[in-house]
Amino acid sequence: MPEKHLQPTPLRKYCRLSEEMGVSIWVKHDDLFPEAGGGNKVRKLGHILADGLRQGCDAMVTTGSACSNHVRASALMAANLGWRAKIIIHDAPQTRLGENLLLADLAGAEIAFCERGEVARRMDEAMAELSREGRRPLYVWGGGHCLAGAKAYFEAAGELADQAQQSGCRFDYVCVASGTGTTQAGLHVGFSRFADGPKVLGFSVAHDKARGSEKVISSADELAKSLGIRSRSAGVNFDDSFLCGGYARADKNVCETIRWAARTDGLVLDPIYSGKAFAALRSQVRSGLVPQDSQICFWHTGGLLNLVSGDWPPLQKRPIS
Ligand SMILES: *Cc1c(COP(=O)(O)O)cnc(C)c1O
């Protein structure tokens, strides 16, 4: 079962970032799974594909954008299981493949492009084609947005709680980039089990507050219901003030934060997800919304392969001093 292969990811303190920011910064490195290029999609898919194996599946159909980490992780994990994968990309056909799509192609996934409004129909067709070929395909929502994905992060909250105990720290906040909201929902419900668990702060990378928080809340409610626990979705913190105008858009502040984190402490972030969330956290610490001396765990959800999509100036010729 794929979920059994997932070892706990590292939890590391970043002393220089901590010193500069005036808070304790620990990073939970889900970018560093050994499988499929890492990231939160690997953790989610570990659970999603394990469900599929239990149902006897041997193929999958999923969807994403041209820069989707979920698409890359799906294709590689499917290859690892010996499954067929059909992937519908809701973007214009790409002349030059980005790293994620290139890896999906190398992994043998069958990739098709379509308009956003066509995705549901095309996924249904792909399911039917695979069935006609005698396969048992698993239907996986874009981004791995489903109950099994939320459960993966519910369990991950326990993983962090164990590591925090071993390291002798108690977190005030867990900060995470929030897209479909599954990761945040799983963590939110996961930490609400603990009497004085950390507050989960979700920083939007795709949706405005109304839509984004609704997604987190409905996912958290569905998860709580399936676990037979009382819903605690009332306290969901979803912040869209650092959205930079939408998915895959970044501003100067995000790019400056990425450079600063790399230079200050060797922490690698990306402009679509983790860099946006870290820039948001940094602003909230500066403004005092997150108080000085707080113990913070930044949940690194991955995304290094999107680093080059940022708006980086060419390397200047520097005078030799
Ligand atoms: C998909 C993704 C997210 C968002 O996760 P959701 O569960 O969809 O909210 C965050 N960071 C990275 C790197 C991702 O690929």
Side-chain angles (χ1 to χ4, degrees):
M1 295 283 162
E3 63 197 346
K4 295 249 160 58
H5 296 159
L6 297 182
Q7 299 290 325
T9 55
L11 174 68
R12 270 188 61 192
K13 185 167 183 191
Y14 283 75
C15 294
R16 292 171 193 281
L17 293 180
S18 301
E19 199 169 307
E20 295 263 327
M21 289 171 71
V23 290
S24 283
I25 297 285
W26 295 70
V27 175
K28 174 68 172 155
H29 274 292
D30 273 13
D31 53 326
L32 295 181
F33 279 112
E35 292 86 0
N40 66 337
K41 302 310 181 304
V42 171
R43 196 186 281 275
K44 289 192 200 182
L45 284 162
H47 280 247
I48 294 167
L49 300 182
D51 276 358
L53 282 174
R54 280 188 281 271
Q55 295 161 36
C57 293
D58 59 2
M60 71 182 290
V61 172
T62 194
T63 181
S65 71
C67 61
S68 166
N69 295 309
H70 166 73
V71 161
R72 175 251 311 156
S74 294
L76 289 165
M77 291 173 86
N80 187 241
L81 291 172
W83 287 17
R84 292 264 305 278
K86 284 188 187 262
I87 297 177
I88 311 297
I89 302 290
H90 48 76
D91 258 319
Q94 310 280 300
T95 44
R96 191 189 158 274
L97 297 184
E99 281 76 358
N100 277 325
L101 213 47
L102 173 62
L103 282 167
D105 179 50
L106 294 174
E110 293 156 61
I111 298 167
F113 296 89
C114 74
E115 303 271 320
R116 194 172 266 281
E118 292 282 285
V119 170
R121 186 178 62 78
R122 294 290 293 271
M123 285 179 75
D124 289 346
E125 282 172 11
M127 290 291 289
E129 281 161 21
L130 286 163
S131 299
R132 275 198 301 276
E133 293 164 24
R135 294 275 180 162
R136 291 197 64 174
L138 180 69
Y139 189 99
V140 180
W141 292 97
H145 183 56
C146 63
L147 181 58
K151 274 192 179 149
Y153 273 90
F154 175 83
E155 288 178 15
E159 180 180 307
L160 180 73
D162 289 346
Q163 287 174 316
Q165 201 181 26
Q166 281 159 23
S167 308
C169 58
R170 207 195 59 77
F171 292 117
D172 302 305
Y173 297 95
V174 167
C175 301
V176 69
S178 200
T180 68
T182 325
T183 302
Q184 186 183 349
L187 292 177
H188 184 87
V189 178
F191 287 117
S192 70
R193 284 179 299 168
F194 303 105
D196 58 350
K199 211 171 175 174
V200 177
L201 305 181
F203 294 112
S204 181
V205 298
H207 304 300
D208 66 18
K209 191 172 171 109
R211 176 129 190 269
S213 48
E214 199 278 321
K215 282 168 101 73
V216 178
I217 288 166
S218 63
S219 182
D221 282 342
E222 185 192 18
L223 174 61
K225 198 171 162 204
S226 90
L227 296 167
I229 61 177
R230 190 169 56 84
S231 166
R232 293 188 182 85
S233 61
V236 163
N237 297 288
F238 182 89
D239 186 349
D240 70 352
S241 19
F242 304 88
L243 189 51
C244 313
Y247 179 69
R249 303 227 184 114
D251 62 9
K252 272 208 185 102
N253 179 34
V254 173
C255 294
E256 193 273 321
T257 295
I258 292 171
R259 191 180 289 280
W260 173 81
R263 181 185 307 174
T264 305
D265 219 344
L267 176 66
V268 183
L269 303 165
D270 82 284
I272 301 184
Y273 302 98
S274 57
K276 247 174 163 171
F278 203 93
L281 168 63
R282 203 174 160 212
S283 300
Q284 297 231 337
V285 170
R286 277 182 175 152
S287 71
L289 272 167
V290 169
Q292 289 285 298
D293 297 324
S294 296
Q295 301 287 317
I296 297 167
C297 176
F298 180 78
W299 206 297
H300 199 316
T301 47
L304 174 61
L305 294 172
N306 290 315
L307 184 56
V308 288
S309 75
D311 186 14
W312 305 107
L315 198 60
Q316 303 293 324
K317 274 198 179 152
R318 302 230 165 87
I320 298 166
S321 54

